[in-house]
Amino acid sequence: MPASFAAWFAARGWAPRAHQLEMLEKARDGRSVLLIAPTGAGKTLAGFLPSLVDLASRATLPRLTARGRGLARRGIHTLYISPLKALAVDVARNVERPIAEMGLNIRVETRTGDTPAHKRQRQKYDPPDILMTTPEQLELLVAAREAEALFCDLTTVIFDELHALVTSKRGELLALGLARLRRLAPGARTVGLSATVANPDELRAWLMPARAGETMPLADLITVAGGATPEISILASEERIPWAGHSARYAYGDLYQALTRAKLTLIFVNTRSQAEMLFQELWSINDNNLKIALHHGSLDVAQRRKVEAAMAAGGLDAVVATSTLDLGIDWGDVDLVVHVGAPKGASRLAQRIGRANHRMDEPSRAILVPANRFEVLECQAALDANYLGDQDTPPIRAGGLDVLAQHVLGMAVAAPFVADDLYAEVTSAHPYRALDRTTFDRVVDFVATGGYALRAYERYAKIRQTKDGTWRVSNPDIAQVWRLNVGTIVEMPKLKVRLAFSARRGPVRGGRILGEMEEYFFETMAPGDTFLFGGEVLKFLFIHETEAIVARSADTSPRIPVYAGGRFPLSTFLADKVRAMLADPTTWNRLPTQVAEWLDLQRHVSILPKASDLLIETFPRGDLHYMVAYPFEGRLAHQTLGMLLTRRLERLKARPIGFVASDYAIGIWGADDMGALFRHGRPSLQQLFDEDMLGDDLDAWMAESYLLKRTFRNCAVVAGLIEQRHPGQEKSGRQITVNADLVYDVLRSHEPDHILLQATWADAATGLLDIRRLGDMLARVKGRIIHRDLDHISPLAVPIMLDIGKVPVAGEADESLLADAADALIAEATG
């Protein structure tokens, strides 16, 4: 290590850690590496240290170097990719500190969707030494005319929180961008940083170029042992834990007391609407005048940055946040993390509690606040997994064809391409290593024509092949539209929320922008309706062009925004743990007494299934009959199962009326006694739940399913078949849906093997329909289905019965309205 760097460490009372020195050695040898280290171990500094040392040694070189005929500025030396804009900004701030303190001539900049356009443009011809950016911005950069000059000096690409980057379509786009970077800068090495890894070898392979017919190369691995064991507890409350719902309102008093005892608390929730509601409720009981802030993705960027700066400066007592703050951000003074609602995954919980005491040798302290009784079991399972070090990060899936189509067009935007060369480049990306040439050519043909059924329409001809065999963009407008639509996160169209000066004025252009919200939310409102946003009660006035004009209101009963996106599904790993806990009464002593008594009551009234069994209960109530199943496979798989079961029951003349699905159970109700079907053996329960429902039944339902059409719409937007944005305008959600539905119907009728329908089915397997998980469940319970035909509701069925027919209050269950109904149901169950 250079003397100046050693002196900097010594001046701070530090000594370089072993893994930081090892990272320097790997860089000297030109080795790509995955660094796995616990929170607070100095991963970020370890990742950047080789770049800082190398750049410091180059500081005496001229900033301008001869390239070709003229002089060009040196290109980017180190590229840092972050899954979150806030994380990129935070890491930039942390890297700039040692640069400033050592007086190094190194320039660091960020480039995200929040970066002003003039700065992004300047960065192309005057790039910094180190650029912090996101997957979407990388795709734009590799497709820029200046890409070769930008990246010709690239030596290192750092991927922070790599496990969070690679398991989604963003990761697929990022892998394709990395493949292009390797062509632009063949000598660049890759560095992955992560604290949470279930399968390190998957990430090591992702970091390396795949080679056809060869064993997958793996990046080197550095693992840092140690780290203090976190101190996690489930909130102990004297209040009654609700049977259903997601607000956890029963715990707000206890939660507030925990805030008063901590220095700085980070409160995580799973949805933006939960964040708004919790923030408002905490302020309503804030007798100690704690400084509580709100942070989620719909708030204006200036407001988010203000909250982040206040946290860093120690000016807040608590922050209510969604996933916008749950990755890697270094808030060293956070001494408590509270997770309201079940975390839905062991790895997600580990990531979030790592935000507390962001120092390696000090334990993170966290409190889990389950919103209902089933969530108590899930929280306990997640707590156990954390202490054992178990992880459930999903595996890296095969690359999506819709993402590939977007990238193919982007590479044509960059420069004309030869199909053979691009195919070799694409298949060097880990998610696309098994892509066959025929499928690749079909994707290129789709970008060129829209496919067989659409080739008569000129609008779908995005690229064309010229006489020299290269593929080029058909016209410059296509390139401009592509740049406006880059990315794989398909969001509902949004309106900016603008605060009016006065509710009596007409269209106001000078009011402050508070953030943005989904368009469909405002379509459900009438002028004068109130809602919560950014911690304020606002009154909706009118829509003007792409803005919703609002005014502040004193209303005490506002609506709560129902944001698109919804809750995370329960992970397979935690589902297994919950089933095991239900089946083993010896574990119940760790649960709150009221929850343990609930489970014990279920044993006496009905049965608790073994971990590998599926329990089905049927019972009458009022004039209706009910069937409740307990697969514990997550809401998405349960919704698909519920739709397929009701189709089968309709064929059996059982007259099902509807169903409801949660993460834990499915409830179906109907006019006829469903229990009688199984008593008389027509059919057996095993036949009803047979895997063949994923054959013809699934095909028939999918043909008319809104969920499949929604999946297709998302694929069509990602692939560029349907564009959300054009210069100066943006399509409404209704326009996108209508366009997508029309194209979907045409393709199903005339080209059922269309490349986008293929992509849609692949998404359905693990996305909105979770077909793959449902298939695994049906195989698991084959021959292991237990039926209990009861005279009345069981205790275990109470939560799902509360969901049946309830009227949601602003998108969340209101336990105060459900309490009487719950008492009545449990009285029935015990009567």
Side-chain angles (χ1 to χ4, degrees):
M1 177 180 291
S4 58
F5 282 79
W8 177 78
F9 273 94
R12 298 176 68 88
W14 297 349
R17 297 179 188 259
H19 63 277
Q20 293 170 335
L21 295 174
E22 192 174 357
M23 290 288 282
L24 283 171
E25 292 177 12
K26 297 292 184 185
R28 281 194 292 266
D29 295 337
R31 306 288 295 178
S32 294
V33 61
L34 172 65
L35 172 61
I36 301 174
T39 296
K43 314 191 273 301
T44 302
L45 181 57
F48 280 98
L49 192 58
S51 296
L52 296 181
V53 168
D54 189 35
L55 283 165
S57 70
R58 298 185 186 189
T60 57
L61 298 176
R63 284 296 292 175
L64 297 179
T65 58
R67 190 175 293 134
R69 293 185 177 179
L71 290 176
R73 193 173 179 85
R74 218 164 52 204
I76 296 167
H77 177 282
T78 296
L79 189 65
Y80 165 89
I81 311 292
S82 161
L84 295 176
K85 292 182 284 188
L87 179 56
V89 172
D90 179 68
V91 170
R93 182 170 57 240
N94 291 336
V95 171
E96 285 168 343
R97 188 175 302 124
I99 290 173
E101 291 173 355
M102 285 186 277
L104 303 177
N105 183 24
I106 297 172
R107 183 148 57 94
V108 178
E109 291 183 3
T110 60
R111 181 188 180 94
T112 72
D114 294 335
T115 304
H118 68 87
K119 183 177 180 180
R120 293 201 303 268
Q121 187 63 28
R122 190 266 300 158
Q123 287 171 340
K124 291 181 182 179
Y125 63 84
D126 181 19
D129 299 297
I130 300 174
L131 182 66
M132 316 285 197
T133 191
T134 59
E136 294 77 17
Q137 289 297 318
L138 173 61
E139 185 70 4
L140 287 167
L141 287 173
V142 297
R145 290 189 300 271
E146 303 87 353
E148 189 173 342
L150 266 175
F151 296 116
C152 65
D153 294 324
L154 187 69
T155 65
T156 305
V157 187
I158 301 173
F159 300 95
D160 206 352
E161 306 293 353
L162 182 59
H163 65 282
L165 281 168
V166 301
T167 57
S168 65
K169 289 192 178 187
R170 290 183 86 204
E172 295 161 18
L173 189 66
L174 179 59
L176 292 168
L178 175 58
R180 174 49 60 102
L181 280 178
R182 289 195 177 102
R183 206 194 83 179
L184 297 169
R189 67 188 193 94
T190 54
V191 175
L193 306 177
S194 185
T196 311
V197 177
N199 185 353
D201 283 354
E202 262 198 336
L203 299 187
R204 294 170 68 193
W206 190 94
L207 288 167
M208 301 295 288
R211 298 182 180 91
E214 297 182 18
T215 302
M216 282 193 302
L218 300 178
D220 292 350
L221 176 65
I222 298 175
T223 303
V224 181
T229 301
E231 299 173 359
I232 314 171
S233 61
I234 296 176
L235 182 73
S237 176
E238 296 299 321
E239 301 294 329
R240 186 175 71 169
I241 300 172
W243 300 95
H246 299 282
S247 69
R249 189 173 283 113
Y250 78 97
Y252 289 172
D254 296 306
L255 171 57
Y256 183 78
Q257 291 305 312
L259 303 188
T260 63
R261 295 189 292 270
K263 181 178 179 182
L264 174 58
T265 304
L266 199 49
I267 308 168
F268 283 112
V269 296
N270 288 330
T271 69
R272 289 171 286 171
S273 56
Q274 286 175 315
E276 290 282 355
M277 178 177 63
L278 177 57
F279 177 76
Q280 189 75 6
E281 293 284 350
L282 288 176
W283 269 104
S284 71
I285 58 174
N286 190 11
D287 296 334
N288 294 65
N289 292 318
L290 300 180
K291 295 182 284 294
I292 305 172
L294 178 65
H295 193 288
H296 62 66
S298 286
L299 297 176
D300 182 62
V301 60
Q303 177 63 22
R304 297 199 305 270
R305 296 294 175 263
K306 183 178 178 182
V307 171
E308 292 159 18
M311 284 184 71
L316 295 174
D317 298 305
V319 178
V320 180
T322 58
S323 56
T324 51
L325 290 182
D326 71 357
L327 287 172
I329 299 175
D330 186 5
W331 310 121
D333 289 331
V334 174
D335 57 347
L336 175 64
V337 166
V338 175
H339 199 292
V340 177
K344 302 302 173 188
S347 295
R348 182 176 297 112
L349 175 63
Q351 192 71 58
R352 288 181 166 183
I353 66 174
R355 299 312 100 221
N357 284 342
H358 208 270
R359 291 172 285 272
M360 182 175 176
D361 301 323
E362 297 182 23
S364 299
R365 193 162 62 92
I367 298 174
L368 308 184
V369 184
N372 58 60
R373 298 193 178 205
F374 271 127
E375 284 197 355
V376 172
L377 304 178
E378 188 183 332
C379 285
Q380 184 63 53
L383 188 154
D384 293 344
N386 192 274
Y387 281 131
L388 294 173
D390 293 334
Q391 302 294 342
D392 57 3
T393 307
I396 300 173
R397 66 176 205 167
L401 300 180
D402 52 342
V403 178
L404 178 57
Q406 181 182 131
H407 183 73
V408 166
L409 179 55
M411 294 306 91
V413 169
F417 68 80
V418 176
D420 290 346
D421 296 341
L422 186 57
Y423 175 69
E425 180 183 311
V426 164
T427 52
S428 72
H430 182 77
Y432 294 92
R433 64 193 184 281
L435 179 73
D436 62 88
R437 182 56 190 264
T438 300
T439 302
F440 173 80
D441 287 340
R442 290 178 62 212
V443 172
V444 173
D445 179 69
F446 160 73
V447 179
T449 67
Y452 172 77
L454 301 174
R455 67 177 60 243
Y457 301 92
E458 183 65 25
R459 59 179 294 193
Y460 298 122
K462 307 288 180 69
I463 59 176
R464 57 185 175 84
Q465 194 170 24
T466 58
K467 291 180 180 180
D468 62 2
T470 60
W471 290 92
R472 300 169 180 263
V473 174
S474 297
N475 64 70
D477 291 343
I478 288 171
Q480 185 179 14
V481 173
W482 178 85
R483 292 187 186 99
L484 290 174
N485 289 278
V486 163
T488 62
I489 300 173
V490 181
E491 298 181 334
M492 295 293 290
K494 295 180 179 179
L495 299 176
K496 293 189 181 301
V497 181
R498 185 181 290 276
L499 186 64
F501 289 124
S502 169
R504 292 187 297 273
R505 295 187 182 183
V508 177
R509 307 306 300 164
R512 184 164 61 93
I513 295 290
L514 302 178
E516 55 186 14
M517 285 179 57
E518 281 75 8
E519 175 187 59
Y520 78 88
F521 176 73
F522 291 107
E523 290 177 347
T524 67
M525 301 186 75
D529 284 353
T530 57
F531 62 100
L532 277 176
F533 184 76
E536 295 184 278
V537 180
L538 302 175
K539 180 191 295 184
F540 172 60
L541 301 180
F542 51 85
I543 293 175
H544 178 69
E545 297 179 349
T546 60
E547 297 181 348
I549 309 301
V550 301
R552 290 190 174 94
S553 170
D555 193 344
T556 58
S557 57
R559 295 179 64 180
I560 297 169
V562 183
Y563 294 98
R567 302 185 302 275
F568 299 109
L570 176 67
S571 74
T572 302
F573 177 83
L574 284 189
D576 291 342
K577 297 296 183 184
V578 170
R579 283 195 300 269
M581 193 181 306
L582 278 176
D584 185 4
T586 63
T587 64
W588 297 353
N589 61 342
R590 292 175 293 161
L591 302 175
T593 301
Q594 53 188 306
V595 176
E597 290 176 348
W598 169 52
L599 298 181
D600 192 54
L601 190 60
Q602 171 69 15
R603 280 199 301 173
H604 291 90
V605 172
S606 176
I607 192 175
L608 282 170
K610 295 178 181 178
S612 56
D613 293 347
L614 173 63
L615 172 63
I616 310 291
E617 294 176 331
T618 52
F619 50 84
R621 188 169 190 271
D623 297 329
L624 298 175
H625 296 266
Y626 297 85
M627 179 173 75
V628 179
Y630 305 93
F632 292 91
E633 289 293 348
R635 178 172 44 91
L636 300 179
H638 289 174
Q639 285 175 343
T640 301
L641 177 60
M643 291 175 182
L644 295 176
L645 285 175
T646 52
R647 289 180 72 91
R648 289 194 158 188
L649 289 168
E650 285 169 358
R651 288 206 305 270
L652 294 168
K653 310 300 183 186
R655 296 200 294 165
I657 296 172
F659 79 93
V660 69
S662 70
D663 268 329
Y664 316 104
I666 311 162
I668 300 175
W669 64 98
D672 290 348
D673 182 1
M674 285 175 275
L677 289 174
F678 314 125
R679 288 195 297 273
H680 299 148
R682 58 173 196 90
S684 69
L685 267 174
Q686 188 58 62
Q687 289 173 313
L688 184 66
F689 283 82
D690 195 271
E691 292 170 88
D692 65 6
M693 74 164 61
L694 298 182
D696 292 343
D697 278 343
L698 180 63
D699 289 343
W701 170 60
M702 294 276 267
E704 60 192 43
S705 167
Y706 163 74
L707 288 176
L708 191 67
K709 286 188 173 183
R710 180 176 165 191
T711 303
F712 174 80
R713 183 196 70 192
N714 292 348
C715 287
V717 169
V718 170
L721 186 72
I722 295 173
E723 294 118 353
Q724 287 183 291
R725 302 173 192 90
H726 284 260
Q729 60 180 318
E730 184 166 342
K731 287 183 180 177
S732 68
R734 187 179 296 107
Q735 287 173 316
I736 292 172
T737 299
V738 169
N739 291 352
D741 287 354
L742 288 173
V743 175
Y744 175 81
D745 292 337
V746 168
L747 295 182
R748 279 195 64 90
S749 299
H750 300 287
E751 195 179 354
D753 62 344
H754 190 277
I755 203 76
L756 277 194
L757 292 181
Q758 186 177 332
T760 299
W761 276 90
D763 272 12
T766 55
L768 287 172
L769 306 178
D770 218 351
I771 295 166
R772 185 175 301 163
R773 185 167 177 182
L774 176 56
D776 292 343
M777 185 276 290
L778 294 174
R780 172 177 60 82
V781 302
K782 194 168 187 175
R784 305 191 67 92
I785 299 177
I786 300 171
H787 177 216
R788 284 293 180 267
D789 195 15
L790 306 174
D791 296 329
H792 51 71
I793 184 175
S794 75
L796 206 62
V798 169
I800 199 73
M801 290 293 289
L802 286 170
D803 283 337
I804 292 175
K806 85 181 179 201
V807 177
V809 178
E812 301 291 340
D814 185 345
E815 286 84 4
S816 65
L817 298 180
L818 296 174
D820 292 342
D823 289 340
L825 287 173
I826 201 65
E828 287 182 36
T830 56

